[in-house]
Amino acid sequence: MTTFLGTANYSIDDKGRLVVPTSMRAVPGRKQPLKTFVLLYGLDGCLWLYSEEGWKRLEERLYALSVGNRQQRGIARAFLVGASKVTVDKQGRISIPSSLLSRAGLGKEAVLHGNIGRIEIWSPEKFNENTEPALASLDEHWDDSLGNVKEP
């Protein structure tokens, strides 16, 4: 599984294109940076950008949902609304469909945040709203979340 690193603000141009820097697209063991991703609306109001390998893992989990269970069918359906395969152009940009730009509340600026298995694309306001409470309580909740995990 790939961990993407970095957090930075980037401009979104009038055509909905956003730079995904080479440093975020670099994967250990690969000579070339990633050029193809799957983009979809994630949780908490951001977009998720998956490598093809990462997408396959998520796709397997979605595939395992029961088509006989109404709630699980709905989750799979809703999760895939607006999902698309995107390719990095020669300038390092991806094109974000207008439906996803709107749904994530993105305007002229976005925060790209590397995460485990994906890159998150946030409006700066939503990023701060979702990140500040977690940062403020990180020490307090460490033991509950990761306290039993052995360090490598």
Side-chain angles (χ1 to χ4, degrees), residues 41-48 79 103-104 115 118 120-123 125-131:
Y41 187 75
L43 300 175
D44 303 318
C46 71
L47 301 179
W48 286 350
F79 209 71
R103 192 165 176 204
N115 207 324
R118 67 181 175 274
E120 296 177 340
I121 303 171
W122 293 87
S123 74
E125 299 80 19
K126 285 184 185 178
F127 182 74
N128 289 332
E129 287 171 17
N130 281 274
T131 306

Side-chain angles (χ1 to χ4, degrees), residues 97-115:
S98 59
S99 62
L100 290 178
L101 285 170
S102 176
R103 192 165 176 204
L106 291 164
K108 296 287 183 188
E109 191 175 3
V111 175
L112 268 69
H113 177 69
N115 207 324

Side-chain angles (χ1 to χ4, degrees), residues 8-13 15-21 39 47 49 88-89 91-96 101 106 108-112 119-122:
N9 288 29
Y10 291 90
S11 297
I12 298 174
D13 71 15
K15 296 181 180 178
R17 296 177 299 198
L18 172 69
V19 169
V20 179
L39 177 68
L47 301 179
L49 192 61
V88 178
D89 69 14
Q91 287 76 39
R93 304 171 299 193
I94 59 166
S95 291
I96 302 173
L101 285 170
L106 291 164
K108 296 287 183 188
E109 191 175 3
V111 175
L112 268 69
I119 298 169
E120 296 177 340
I121 303 171
W122 293 87

Side-chain angles (χ1 to χ4, degrees), residues 17 36 59 80 140:
R17 296 177 299 198
T36 308
E59 186 178 42
L80 294 172
E140 179 183 340

